[in-house]
Amino acid sequence: MKPLHICLVSKEYPPEGRGGIAKYVQLLAHGLVDEGHDVTVIAGPAGNGYSPSPSSHTSAPGPRLYRVENRRLALPPLLRRKARGIWNQLERSWAVDREIARLERTQRPFDVVEMPNWGAEGLCYSLHPRAPLVVRLSTPLAQVSFLKEGRSDRPGLRLACFLEAVPARRASCIIANSEFISQYCVKLYRIPGARPAVIPHGIPLPDSPPPESKAREITVTVLYVGRLEKRKGIDRLLHAIPQVIRETPFCRFVIAGDDIGEAPQGKSYRDYFESFASSAARESTTFLGHVDERELSQLYADCDIFAAPSQSESFGLIYLEAMAHAKPVVAFQAGGVPEVVAHDETGILVELDNINALAHALVRLIQDKELRQKMGCCGFQRVREFFPVNRMVAETVACYRRVISGENRANAHGLG
């Protein structure tokens, strides 16, 4: 079949972007290129003060990457301060739309354009799409706000959530990475009867499980990876650690991820943990902060158990990463996590927010090496069978071709 000319949009993109959206877009972009498709990625500007021109891009093998600054609207300072988040959304969406138009003029029209729902980046393009628009769902802003603040009804937030919903309502096709987020967003965005295509994320992995680390025989290491914020469950894990250390003092915890200062009283989570944890728990817990991909891979390889008790996940790419390293997973039974982690097969899922159950699950695995190895092996096989990156790419391309032919429009909006 004819190769497709594809545009992928993601404000965050590695190495600057470290979230789930950034990772899956990178995996998808490279997977599509490996299959012979022509891929362009439009991302936000690089960090560390580097501000490229709108047309700057990489020429290395792989997808073409364009990093684009927001187009700044001329607004009175008072007005900008009162609705800074909304203006940022509009400016970002406008910049993305103009960059797509520029590339269409200077290169050739795209066959399909894909954007995430997060941040309403597809808003302006969705109002006058030149190629079919595909929106891929991740955790929506309303849910993030509710998990963070316990509410999602502030006027400014409601407007931001409305802007996020518009591209999904106008898209030629919606892709969800789990049944959970598909149903959640269809209801949230008020698209009755819509039937998003459910395409789970995928990751590359070797043909056989990685060899078990020979670094330790006595110590058991539990790894957490992710931003240190409430919705990722870091507070629940930290409160479970003292109980785990009391029962299994030979255990240690490694916490990897950016601390964004959301702990109580505005503290860092490290300071918050030290305010209540026992001396033994503090000595057994290491906070690493941000780690790069090479360090992260080594952390997965060296740990014995992976624990990330998120309050909700649309999917949870971190669980796939741990399972790809043949590590058992401990998490809350929330959101799309049960679609990734098979309870009592590839890990242990516990009741949401139940800290005692979380601690007991960790102790159970810490004390049972054979169970850890069995679950780790099952996790690796589950990733290989259900979540390979080539399957994600193939199903995405099939979805694109249905959209381009006009077949998917009715299914996306429940009109068929």
Side-chain angles (χ1 to χ4, degrees):
M1 286 189 176
K2 176 185 174 183
L4 300 179
H5 188 209
I6 302 162
C7 178
L8 303 178
V9 177
S10 173
K11 185 176 181 180
E12 290 192 344
Y13 191 81
E16 284 75 20
R18 300 186 290 271
I21 294 176
K23 286 186 177 181
Y24 93 69
V25 172
Q26 183 186 46
L27 287 168
L28 178 61
H30 284 270
L32 289 167
V33 169
D34 290 344
E35 293 296 320
H37 300 286
D38 184 13
V39 180
T40 294
V41 176
I42 297 176
N48 301 320
Y50 173 62
S51 299
S53 65
S55 61
S56 67
H57 66 281
T58 63
S59 57
R64 289 184 297 275
L65 174 61
Y66 295 81
R67 293 194 176 274
V68 183
E69 294 274 9
N70 287 11
R71 287 187 168 232
R72 191 171 177 84
L73 297 168
L75 297 168
L78 180 61
L79 185 59
R80 178 174 291 278
R81 285 197 300 270
K82 284 186 175 294
R84 183 172 55 186
I86 299 298
W87 300 127
N88 285 341
Q89 278 189 317
L90 294 175
E91 290 169 341
R92 180 66 195 162
S93 177
W94 183 25
V96 166
D97 181 57
R98 291 302 82 204
E99 181 68 359
I100 294 173
R102 186 190 70 81
L103 293 171
E104 289 171 330
R105 291 193 306 271
T106 58
Q107 298 178 7
R108 59 188 174 94
F110 293 106
D111 293 313
V112 65
V113 175
E114 179 185 320
M115 307 191 194
N117 58 328
W118 179 259
E121 285 188 277
L123 177 65
C124 288
Y125 183 82
S126 73
L127 301 178
H128 56 105
R130 280 85 67 188
L133 172 63
V134 173
V135 170
R136 194 174 301 240
L137 303 176
S138 60
T139 305
L141 177 60
Q143 189 184 26
V144 170
S145 178
F146 182 79
L147 293 172
K148 180 179 177 180
E149 305 174 13
R151 57 179 296 189
S152 58
D153 58 350
R154 290 184 287 104
L157 177 62
R158 291 177 65 183
L159 177 56
C161 292
F162 169 78
L163 296 179
E164 181 184 87
V166 170
R169 292 174 181 170
R170 298 181 61 86
S172 297
C173 178
I174 302 169
I175 296 177
N177 50 44
S178 68
E179 289 287 354
F180 162 77
I181 205 63
S182 171
Q183 296 175 22
Y184 187 97
C185 286
V186 164
K187 182 178 180 180
L188 176 69
Y189 293 157
R190 298 179 182 178
I191 319 175
R195 296 186 292 276
V198 177
I199 303 176
H201 291 329
I203 59 174
L205 72 169
D207 293 331
S208 59
E212 186 179 359
S213 173
K214 299 179 180 178
R216 304 162 312 278
E217 280 297 329
I218 299 176
T219 302
V220 176
T221 299
V222 179
L223 173 67
Y224 167 93
V225 173
R227 287 185 300 275
L228 274 57
E229 56 180 327
K230 182 179 178 181
R231 75 183 182 97
K232 295 295 184 181
I234 184 61
D235 56 333
R236 304 299 194 262
L237 179 61
L238 294 180
H239 278 283
I241 289 175
Q243 181 178 340
V244 174
I245 295 300
R246 282 196 302 271
E247 297 188 43
T248 53
F250 54 89
C251 174
R252 65 186 292 262
F253 286 80
V254 175
I255 311 295
D258 293 319
D259 193 327
I260 60 178
E262 285 188 357
Q265 292 87 49
K267 296 180 178 179
S268 70
Y269 271 105
R270 180 173 187 169
D271 290 340
Y272 174 63
F273 178 65
E274 292 181 350
S275 72
F276 67 80
S278 64
S279 59
R282 293 196 301 270
E283 291 172 4
S284 300
T285 305
T286 302
F287 290 80
L288 296 179
H290 168 67
V291 296
D292 61 27
E293 287 299 316
R294 185 175 179 179
E295 292 174 291
L296 180 59
S297 181
Q298 191 62 52
L299 288 173
Y300 278 125
D302 288 343
C303 78
D304 299 286
I305 302 165
F306 180 76
S310 292
Q311 291 186 318
S312 186
E313 291 280 357
S314 62
F315 183 83
L317 200 56
I318 50 174
Y319 304 118
L320 283 194
E321 292 173 345
M323 289 157 61
H325 283 80
K327 307 301 177 178
V329 172
V330 175
F332 285 143
Q333 191 163 352
V337 179
E339 298 178 47
V340 181
V341 181
H343 177 57
D344 270 348
E345 293 181 22
T346 68
I348 302 175
L349 300 180
V350 301
E351 180 187 8
L352 178 63
D353 289 338
N354 191 327
I355 295 174
N356 284 333
L358 177 63
H360 288 319
L362 289 167
V363 169
R364 178 185 169 196
L365 282 171
I366 291 166
Q367 294 178 332
D368 194 334
K369 181 177 180 180
E370 184 178 338
L371 181 61
R372 294 197 305 267
Q373 293 174 338
K374 179 181 176 181
M375 286 186 170
C377 184
C378 288
F380 180 87
Q381 296 301 330
R382 181 171 172 80
V383 174
R384 187 167 68 173
E385 182 175 358
F386 296 107
F387 305 108
V389 68
N390 59 343
R391 176 175 174 176
M392 175 183 72
V393 171
E395 292 183 1
T396 296
V397 171
C399 184
Y400 288 166
R401 293 195 185 279
R402 290 195 299 270
V403 168
I404 294 167
S405 70
E407 178 184 338
N408 234 82
R409 179 81 188 181
N411 286 341
H413 298 89
L415 301 176

